[in-house]
mmCIF file of all heavy atoms in Angstrom:
data_model
loop_
_atom_site.group_PDB
_atom_site.id
_atom_site.type_symbol
_atom_site.label_atom_id
_atom_site.label_comp_id
_atom_site.label_asym_id
_atom_site.label_seq_id
_atom_site.Cartn_x
_atom_site.Cartn_y
_atom_site.Cartn_z
ATOM 1 N N ALA A 91 -2.630 31.341 6.928
ATOM 2 C CA ALA A 91 -3.747 31.351 7.881
ATOM 3 C C ALA A 91 -4.683 32.543 7.714
ATOM 4 O O ALA A 91 -5.854 32.474 8.027
ATOM 5 C CB ALA A 91 -3.208 31.377 9.330
ATOM 6 N N ARG A 220 -25.669 21.918 11.450
ATOM 7 C CA ARG A 220 -25.442 23.202 10.770
ATOM 8 C C ARG A 220 -25.887 23.114 9.306
ATOM 9 O O ARG A 220 -26.461 24.047 8.789
ATOM 10 C CB ARG A 220 -23.940 23.567 10.844
ATOM 11 C CG ARG A 220 -23.526 24.069 12.198
ATOM 12 C CD ARG A 220 -22.183 24.786 12.156
ATOM 13 N NE ARG A 220 -21.077 23.900 11.827
ATOM 14 C CZ ARG A 220 -20.377 23.250 12.735
ATOM 15 N NH1 ARG A 220 -20.649 23.392 14.038
ATOM 16 N NH2 ARG A 220 -19.373 22.457 12.390
ATOM 17 N N LEU A 244 -26.974 33.439 10.026
ATOM 18 C CA LEU A 244 -25.867 32.883 9.234
ATOM 19 C C LEU A 244 -24.546 33.542 9.611
ATOM 20 O O LEU A 244 -23.530 32.885 9.813
ATOM 21 C CB LEU A 244 -26.143 33.067 7.744
ATOM 22 C CG LEU A 244 -25.490 32.049 6.791
ATOM 23 C CD1 LEU A 244 -25.866 30.620 7.128
ATOM 24 C CD2 LEU A 244 -25.864 32.407 5.348
ATOM 25 N N VAL A 245 -24.562 34.877 9.701
ATOM 26 C CA VAL A 245 -23.335 35.617 10.024
ATOM 27 C C VAL A 245 -22.919 35.299 11.458
ATOM 28 O O VAL A 245 -21.735 35.096 11.740
ATOM 29 C CB VAL A 245 -23.564 37.136 9.835
ATOM 30 C CG1 VAL A 245 -22.353 37.904 10.339
ATOM 31 C CG2 VAL A 245 -23.786 37.441 8.371
ATOM 32 N N LYS A 246 -23.869 35.254 12.382
ATOM 33 C CA LYS A 246 -23.544 34.996 13.770
ATOM 34 C C LYS A 246 -22.932 33.591 13.945
ATOM 35 O O LYS A 246 -21.945 33.418 14.697
ATOM 36 C CB LYS A 246 -24.805 35.096 14.646
ATOM 37 C CG LYS A 246 -24.557 34.931 16.118
ATOM 38 C CD LYS A 246 -25.826 35.099 16.944
ATOM 39 C CE LYS A 246 -25.522 34.910 18.435
ATOM 40 N NZ LYS A 246 -26.762 35.059 19.238
ATOM 41 N N THR A 247 -23.471 32.624 13.249
ATOM 42 C CA THR A 247 -22.914 31.282 13.304
ATOM 43 C C THR A 247 -21.483 31.241 12.823
ATOM 44 O O THR A 247 -20.615 30.593 13.408
ATOM 45 C CB THR A 247 -23.781 30.288 12.492
ATOM 46 O OG1 THR A 247 -25.098 30.275 13.020
ATOM 47 C CG2 THR A 247 -23.197 28.886 12.520
ATOM 48 N N ALA A 248 -21.206 31.958 11.711
ATOM 49 C CA ALA A 248 -19.829 32.002 11.176
ATOM 50 C C ALA A 248 -18.899 32.676 12.152
ATOM 51 O O ALA A 248 -17.760 32.236 12.346
ATOM 52 C CB ALA A 248 -19.825 32.748 9.840
ATOM 53 N N GLU A 249 -19.361 33.740 12.815
ATOM 54 C CA GLU A 249 -18.517 34.407 13.812
ATOM 55 C C GLU A 249 -18.239 33.510 14.994
ATOM 56 O O GLU A 249 -17.090 33.494 15.514
ATOM 57 C CB GLU A 249 -19.211 35.694 14.266
ATOM 58 C CG GLU A 249 -19.257 36.778 13.219
ATOM 59 C CD GLU A 249 -20.102 37.988 13.623
ATOM 60 O OE1 GLU A 249 -20.881 37.832 14.617
ATOM 61 O OE2 GLU A 249 -19.995 39.052 12.963
ATOM 62 N N GLU A 250 -19.228 32.755 15.432
ATOM 63 C CA GLU A 250 -19.017 31.842 16.536
ATOM 64 C C GLU A 250 -18.025 30.712 16.197
ATOM 65 O O GLU A 250 -17.204 30.351 16.987
ATOM 66 C CB GLU A 250 -20.372 31.238 16.995
ATOM 67 C CG GLU A 250 -21.285 32.263 17.661
ATOM 68 C CD GLU A 250 -22.678 31.683 17.911
ATOM 69 O OE1 GLU A 250 -22.969 30.580 17.425
ATOM 70 O OE2 GLU A 250 -23.456 32.366 18.635
ATOM 71 N N GLU A 251 -18.123 30.226 14.984
ATOM 72 C CA GLU A 251 -17.200 29.217 14.535
ATOM 73 C C GLU A 251 -15.780 29.732 14.491
ATOM 74 O O GLU A 251 -14.831 29.051 14.897
ATOM 75 C CB GLU A 251 -17.582 28.661 13.155
ATOM 76 C CG GLU A 251 -18.832 27.791 13.158
ATOM 77 C CD GLU A 251 -19.105 27.193 11.806
ATOM 78 O OE1 GLU A 251 -18.204 27.161 10.975
ATOM 79 O OE2 GLU A 251 -20.249 26.799 11.551
ATOM 80 N N ALA A 252 -15.605 30.973 13.989
ATOM 81 C CA ALA A 252 -14.285 31.587 13.921
ATOM 82 C C ALA A 252 -13.699 31.789 15.329
ATOM 83 O O ALA A 252 -12.525 31.527 15.602
ATOM 84 C CB ALA A 252 -14.343 32.908 13.169
ATOM 85 N N ALA A 253 -14.552 32.267 16.236
ATOM 86 C CA ALA A 253 -14.108 32.488 17.616
ATOM 87 C C ALA A 253 -13.710 31.189 18.290
ATOM 88 O O ALA A 253 -12.688 31.122 18.969
ATOM 89 C CB ALA A 253 -15.195 33.172 18.419
ATOM 90 N N ALA A 254 -14.503 30.141 18.087
ATOM 91 C CA ALA A 254 -14.210 28.837 18.685
ATOM 92 C C ALA A 254 -12.930 28.238 18.137
ATOM 93 O O ALA A 254 -12.148 27.613 18.883
ATOM 94 C CB ALA A 254 -15.386 27.881 18.469
ATOM 95 N N ALA A 255 -12.686 28.458 16.828
ATOM 96 C CA ALA A 255 -11.510 27.872 16.198
ATOM 97 C C ALA A 255 -10.236 28.593 16.547
ATOM 98 O O ALA A 255 -9.153 28.015 16.445
ATOM 99 C CB ALA A 255 -11.701 27.871 14.678
ATOM 100 N N THR A 256 -10.298 29.846 16.957
ATOM 101 C CA THR A 256 -9.099 30.655 17.165
ATOM 102 C C THR A 256 -8.821 31.012 18.592
ATOM 103 O O THR A 256 -7.683 31.376 18.923
ATOM 104 C CB THR A 256 -9.180 31.949 16.341
ATOM 105 O OG1 THR A 256 -10.333 32.705 16.766
ATOM 106 C CG2 THR A 256 -9.274 31.681 14.861
ATOM 107 N N ALA A 257 -9.790 30.903 19.513
ATOM 108 C CA ALA A 257 -9.616 31.392 20.870
ATOM 109 C C ALA A 257 -8.422 30.773 21.589
ATOM 110 O O ALA A 257 -7.543 31.466 22.064
ATOM 111 C CB ALA A 257 -10.924 31.193 21.677
ATOM 112 N N THR A 258 -8.374 29.437 21.618
ATOM 113 C CA THR A 258 -7.312 28.755 22.348
ATOM 114 C C THR A 258 -5.962 28.990 21.659
ATOM 115 O O THR A 258 -4.948 29.263 22.360
ATOM 116 C CB THR A 258 -7.588 27.241 22.402
ATOM 117 O OG1 THR A 258 -8.857 27.029 23.017
ATOM 118 C CG2 THR A 258 -6.526 26.520 23.171
ATOM 119 N N LEU A 259 -5.921 28.954 20.338
ATOM 120 C CA LEU A 259 -4.678 29.199 19.637
ATOM 121 C C LEU A 259 -4.165 30.596 19.853
ATOM 122 O O LEU A 259 -2.964 30.814 20.099
ATOM 123 C CB LEU A 259 -4.900 28.911 18.148
ATOM 124 C CG LEU A 259 -3.679 29.083 17.230
ATOM 125 C CD1 LEU A 259 -2.541 28.166 17.689
ATOM 126 C CD2 LEU A 259 -4.055 28.782 15.773
ATOM 127 N N ASN A 260 -5.045 31.588 19.759
ATOM 128 C CA ASN A 260 -4.664 32.972 19.975
ATOM 129 C C ASN A 260 -4.047 33.163 21.376
ATOM 130 O O ASN A 260 -3.041 33.808 21.536
ATOM 131 C CB ASN A 260 -5.859 33.936 19.845
ATOM 132 C CG ASN A 260 -6.331 34.061 18.413
ATOM 133 O OD1 ASN A 260 -5.676 33.552 17.488
ATOM 134 N ND2 ASN A 260 -7.461 34.734 18.213
ATOM 135 N N GLN A 299 -3.681 37.348 13.791
ATOM 136 C CA GLN A 299 -4.803 36.608 14.397
ATOM 137 C C GLN A 299 -6.148 37.119 13.883
ATOM 138 O O GLN A 299 -7.063 36.340 13.662
ATOM 139 C CB GLN A 299 -4.699 36.727 15.911
ATOM 140 C CG GLN A 299 -3.530 35.946 16.510
ATOM 141 C CD GLN A 299 -3.362 36.204 17.976
ATOM 142 O OE1 GLN A 299 -3.857 37.194 18.535
ATOM 143 N NE2 GLN A 299 -2.614 35.337 18.671
ATOM 144 N N LYS A 300 -6.277 38.444 13.743
ATOM 145 C CA LYS A 300 -7.508 39.006 13.229
ATOM 146 C C LYS A 300 -7.717 38.566 11.786
ATOM 147 O O LYS A 300 -8.855 38.216 11.401
ATOM 148 C CB LYS A 300 -7.457 40.549 13.302
ATOM 149 C CG LYS A 300 -7.565 41.111 14.709
ATOM 150 C CD LYS A 300 -7.472 42.612 14.688
ATOM 151 C CE LYS A 300 -7.521 43.202 16.109
ATOM 152 N NZ LYS A 300 -7.349 44.678 16.086
ATOM 153 N N SER A 301 -6.649 38.546 10.999
ATOM 154 C CA SER A 301 -6.764 38.116 9.614
ATOM 155 C C SER A 301 -7.170 36.638 9.537
ATOM 156 O O SER A 301 -8.011 36.233 8.707
ATOM 157 C CB SER A 301 -5.419 38.333 8.912
ATOM 158 O OG SER A 301 -5.497 37.893 7.561
ATOM 159 N N ARG A 302 -6.637 35.815 10.428
ATOM 160 C CA ARG A 302 -6.987 34.418 10.480
ATOM 161 C C ARG A 302 -8.445 34.219 10.833
ATOM 162 O O ARG A 302 -9.162 33.399 10.209
ATOM 163 C CB ARG A 302 -6.072 33.696 11.471
ATOM 164 C CG ARG A 302 -6.362 32.189 11.589
ATOM 165 C CD ARG A 302 -5.305 31.502 12.417
ATOM 166 N NE ARG A 302 -5.216 32.058 13.748
ATOM 167 C CZ ARG A 302 -4.135 31.986 14.516
ATOM 168 N NH1 ARG A 302 -3.058 31.376 14.070
ATOM 169 N NH2 ARG A 302 -4.135 32.491 15.739
ATOM 170 N N ALA A 303 -8.946 34.963 11.806
ATOM 171 C CA ALA A 303 -10.328 34.837 12.220
ATOM 172 C C ALA A 303 -11.263 35.267 11.052
ATOM 173 O O ALA A 303 -12.290 34.643 10.834
ATOM 174 C CB ALA A 303 -10.597 35.717 13.444
ATOM 175 N N THR A 304 -10.864 36.348 10.359
ATOM 176 C CA THR A 304 -11.651 36.786 9.215
ATOM 177 C C THR A 304 -11.704 35.714 8.122
ATOM 178 O O THR A 304 -12.747 35.479 7.524
ATOM 179 C CB THR A 304 -11.088 38.099 8.636
ATOM 180 O OG1 THR A 304 -11.087 39.071 9.670
ATOM 181 C CG2 THR A 304 -11.934 38.584 7.482
ATOM 182 N N ARG A 305 -10.555 35.074 7.883
ATOM 183 C CA ARG A 305 -10.515 34.024 6.899
ATOM 184 C C ARG A 305 -11.438 32.828 7.280
ATOM 185 O O ARG A 305 -12.179 32.328 6.453
ATOM 186 C CB ARG A 305 -9.057 33.538 6.693
ATOM 187 C CG ARG A 305 -8.885 32.267 5.877
ATOM 188 C CD ARG A 305 -9.530 32.329 4.524
ATOM 189 N NE ARG A 305 -9.040 33.400 3.706
ATOM 190 C CZ ARG A 305 -9.507 33.703 2.471
ATOM 191 N NH1 ARG A 305 -10.522 32.999 1.976
ATOM 192 N NH2 ARG A 305 -9.018 34.691 1.796
ATOM 193 N N ILE A 306 -11.379 32.441 8.528
ATOM 194 C CA ILE A 306 -12.231 31.325 8.983
ATOM 195 C C ILE A 306 -13.679 31.691 8.849
ATOM 196 O O ILE A 306 -14.519 30.869 8.440
ATOM 197 C CB ILE A 306 -11.853 30.915 10.407
ATOM 198 C CG1 ILE A 306 -10.430 30.345 10.469
ATOM 199 C CG2 ILE A 306 -12.864 29.912 10.960
ATOM 200 C CD1 ILE A 306 -9.936 30.090 11.859
ATOM 201 N N LYS A 307 -14.023 32.917 9.212
ATOM 202 C CA LYS A 307 -15.406 33.349 9.100
ATOM 203 C C LYS A 307 -15.856 33.334 7.643
ATOM 204 O O LYS A 307 -16.946 32.868 7.323
ATOM 205 C CB LYS A 307 -15.538 34.772 9.679
ATOM 206 C CG LYS A 307 -16.938 35.389 9.549
ATOM 207 C CD LYS A 307 -16.943 36.807 10.124
ATOM 208 C CE LYS A 307 -18.286 37.502 9.875
ATOM 209 N NZ LYS A 307 -18.306 38.862 10.396
ATOM 210 N N ARG A 308 -15.017 33.843 6.758
ATOM 211 C CA ARG A 308 -15.364 33.848 5.331
ATOM 212 C C ARG A 308 -15.517 32.412 4.796
ATOM 213 O O ARG A 308 -16.410 32.129 4.028
ATOM 214 C CB ARG A 308 -14.253 34.584 4.527
ATOM 215 C CG ARG A 308 -14.441 36.074 4.495
ATOM 216 C CD ARG A 308 -13.570 36.584 3.380
ATOM 217 N NE ARG A 308 -13.407 38.024 3.484
ATOM 218 C CZ ARG A 308 -12.550 38.729 2.747
ATOM 219 N NH1 ARG A 308 -11.796 38.074 1.869
ATOM 220 N NH2 ARG A 308 -12.460 40.016 2.860
ATOM 221 N N ASP A 309 -14.607 31.542 5.193
ATOM 222 C CA ASP A 309 -14.694 30.166 4.732
ATOM 223 C C ASP A 309 -15.978 29.501 5.195
ATOM 224 O O ASP A 309 -16.593 28.737 4.493
ATOM 225 C CB ASP A 309 -13.467 29.370 5.229
ATOM 226 C CG ASP A 309 -12.189 29.765 4.513
ATOM 227 O OD1 ASP A 309 -12.279 30.438 3.470
ATOM 228 O OD2 ASP A 309 -11.096 29.392 4.989
ATOM 229 N N SER A 310 -16.354 29.819 6.470
ATOM 230 C CA SER A 310 -17.609 29.268 6.986
ATOM 231 C C SER A 310 -18.814 29.764 6.199
ATOM 232 O O SER A 310 -19.729 28.987 5.862
ATOM 233 C CB SER A 310 -17.756 29.625 8.477
ATOM 234 O OG SER A 310 -18.988 29.180 9.011
ATOM 235 N N LEU A 311 -18.842 31.063 5.931
ATOM 236 C CA LEU A 311 -19.946 31.640 5.126
ATOM 237 C C LEU A 311 -19.961 31.043 3.728
ATOM 238 O O LEU A 311 -21.011 30.753 3.183
ATOM 239 C CB LEU A 311 -19.814 33.144 5.075
ATOM 240 C CG LEU A 311 -20.130 33.925 6.357
ATOM 241 C CD1 LEU A 311 -19.795 35.380 6.229
ATOM 242 C CD2 LEU A 311 -21.615 33.760 6.730
#
Side-chain angles (χ1 to χ4, degrees):
R220 285 196 292 270
L244 205 58
V245 173
K246 184 178 179 181
T247 299
E249 290 173 344
E250 290 173 350
E251 287 185 20
T256 59
T258 302
L259 181 57
N260 289 353
Q299 290 173 342
K300 289 178 182 177
S301 179
R302 179 170 59 203
T304 301
R305 169 53 60 182
I306 294 173
K307 177 181 174 181
R308 276 196 195 171
D309 288 346
S310 176
L311 288 172

